[in-house]
């Protein structure tokens, strides 16, 4: 009985192995690959700073100089936070359509605090000083509202950038699949995993999360509005958590593509077809 030896290109297979080694982290088959764009760490309305801001410090036992000094410190702290938020938003490469509005709000808040600080420093009336001091916390809500809102804008932009990165990775892996198929490998599993990843990615859109939060205004001590604002911020972050979860699913699906390609490359380089 004679046999016919059918070979696929060892050169092509070696090229695929090299590409996988270069572009995939070591152990990616065994451990999840990190997201291509890290999720930013942002403040929420439940942060300790937000809680302390809502519970406005008492001033009944403070002298006028003490109130003024405390006010200067509180304003300076918030100005640093606002400046940091503005820098982060300016560094974004994507925009969910709310960056300009958020930057404008940060600028207005900064200007308002500066004006308030001048008024507080120049007053000689302790009653007026107490009123101005309370406005630092209730009128602006930097930590309970502005910072969490900016965080939502930042998270959305980051997720748009991640969608692009995941899409680019899916396209790159499709190239490897095509090369493997051209070399005679069975790429059905890899192709199916890649198609699933692209299908999941097509349904990911973090932009709607912005509508629940971007137009929220400071509660100025109104407990009903404060509760509503907190709920809206929580809902927006919940939507972003859901899209983040889907992006992690896509990442896992792309891991499955890499794993399938590696498994395909373990196939012997020769196959024997019986011939009578």
């Amino acid at each position: 009985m004679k046999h016919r030896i059918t070979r696929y290109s060892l050169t092509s297979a070696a090229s695929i192995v090299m590409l996988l080694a270069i572009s995939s982290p070591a152990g990616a088959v065994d451990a999840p690959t990190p997201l291509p764009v890290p999720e930013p760490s942002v403040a929420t309305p439940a942060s300790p700073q937000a809680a302390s801001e809502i519970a406005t410090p008492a001033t009944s036992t403070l002298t006028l100089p003490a109130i003024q000094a405390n006010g200067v410190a509180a304003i300076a702290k918030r100005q640093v936070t606002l400046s940091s938020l503005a820098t982060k938003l300016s560094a974004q490469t994507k925009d969910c359509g709310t960056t300009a509005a958020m930057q404008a709000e940060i600028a207005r808040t900064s200007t308002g605090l500066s004006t308030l600080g001048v008024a507080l420093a120049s007053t000689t009336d302790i009653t007026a000083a107490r009123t101005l001091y309370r406005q630092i916390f209730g009128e602006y809500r930097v930590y309970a509202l502005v910072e969490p809102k900016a965080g939502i804008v930042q998270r959305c932009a980051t997720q748009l950038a991640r969608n692009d990165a995941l899409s680019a990775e899916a396209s790159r892996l499709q190239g490897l699949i095509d090369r493997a198929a051209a070399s005679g490998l069975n790429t059905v599993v890899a192709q199916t995993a890649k198609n699933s990843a692209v299908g999941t990615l097509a349904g990911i859109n973090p932009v709607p999360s912005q509508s629940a939060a971007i137009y929220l205004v400071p509660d100025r001590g109104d407990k009903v509005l404060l509760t509503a604002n907190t709920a809206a911020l929580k809902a927006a972050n919940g939507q972003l958590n859901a899209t983040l979860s889907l992006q992690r699913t896509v990442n896992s699906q792309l891991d499955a593509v890499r794993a399938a390609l590696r498994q395909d490359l373990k196939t012997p380089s020769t196959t024997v077809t019986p011939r009578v």
Side-chain angles (χ1 to χ4, degrees):
M1 182 173 62
K2 298 180 180 180
H3 297 80
R4 181 174 68 242
I5 307 300
T6 303
R7 298 174 180 273
Y8 65 75
S9 171
L10 292 176
T11 301
S12 296
S15 298
I16 297 167
V17 172
M18 183 176 294
L19 282 170
L20 282 170
I22 293 172
S23 58
S24 301
V29 175
D30 303 314
T33 304
L35 288 172
V37 180
E39 188 76 357
S41 177
V42 297
T44 71
S47 70
Q49 281 186 317
S52 64
E53 182 175 65
I54 292 168
T56 306
T59 58
S60 58
T61 61
L62 298 180
T63 63
L64 175 60
I67 293 173
Q68 291 170 320
N70 288 353
V72 167
I75 290 172
K77 179 181 177 182
R78 282 157 176 76
Q79 294 287 25
V80 169
T81 297
L82 293 171
S83 177
S84 176
L85 293 176
T87 298
K88 290 176 181 178
L89 291 178
S90 295
Q92 292 176 172
T93 59
K94 303 293 287 187
D95 186 358
C96 290
T98 52
T99 300
M102 193 68 240
Q103 289 174 321
E105 180 173 346
I106 289 171
R108 287 195 305 271
T109 303
S110 177
T111 299
L113 284 170
S114 294
T115 301
L116 192 154
V118 171
L120 178 59
S122 61
T123 187
T124 57
D125 184 339
I126 192 169
T127 300
R130 287 170 178 157
T131 298
L132 292 168
Y133 181 74
R134 286 193 296 271
Q135 287 178 359
I136 298 171
F137 305 90
E139 186 77 15
Y140 297 98
R141 294 295 198 212
V142 170
Y143 298 115
L145 182 63
V146 178
E147 189 177 23
K149 284 175 64 174
I152 289 167
V153 173
Q154 187 184 357
R155 286 190 70 191
C156 184
T158 298
Q159 290 188 8
L160 285 184
R162 188 180 301 118
N163 273 357
D164 287 351
L166 290 169
S167 180
E169 175 64 1
S171 295
R172 187 191 66 81
L173 288 174
Q174 183 64 60
L176 295 182
I177 292 170
D178 293 342
R179 290 179 65 173
S183 299
L185 295 177
N186 182 347
T187 58
V188 172
V189 174
Q191 187 66 66
T192 299
K194 183 265 177 182
N195 291 345
S196 294
V198 171
T200 303
L201 186 58
I204 299 176
N205 181 14
V207 174
S209 65
Q210 307 298 281
S211 62
I214 192 62
Y215 298 112
L216 299 178
V217 297
D219 58 88
R220 295 182 174 84
D222 183 331
K223 292 184 178 180
V224 173
L225 183 55
L226 172 63
T227 299
N229 283 351
T230 301
L233 293 168
K234 183 177 180 180
N237 275 306
Q239 289 178 292
L240 291 168
N241 290 340
T243 49
L244 173 60
S245 179
L246 288 173
Q247 290 179 326
R248 285 174 173 155
T249 296
V250 173
N251 214 39
S252 296
Q253 290 169 327
L254 295 179
D255 274 342
V257 176
R258 300 184 192 97
L261 285 170
R262 287 194 178 92
Q263 183 61 41
D264 290 338
L265 290 168
K266 293 178 183 178
T267 304
S269 59
T270 62
T271 59
V272 180
T273 303
R275 181 180 181 185
V276 178

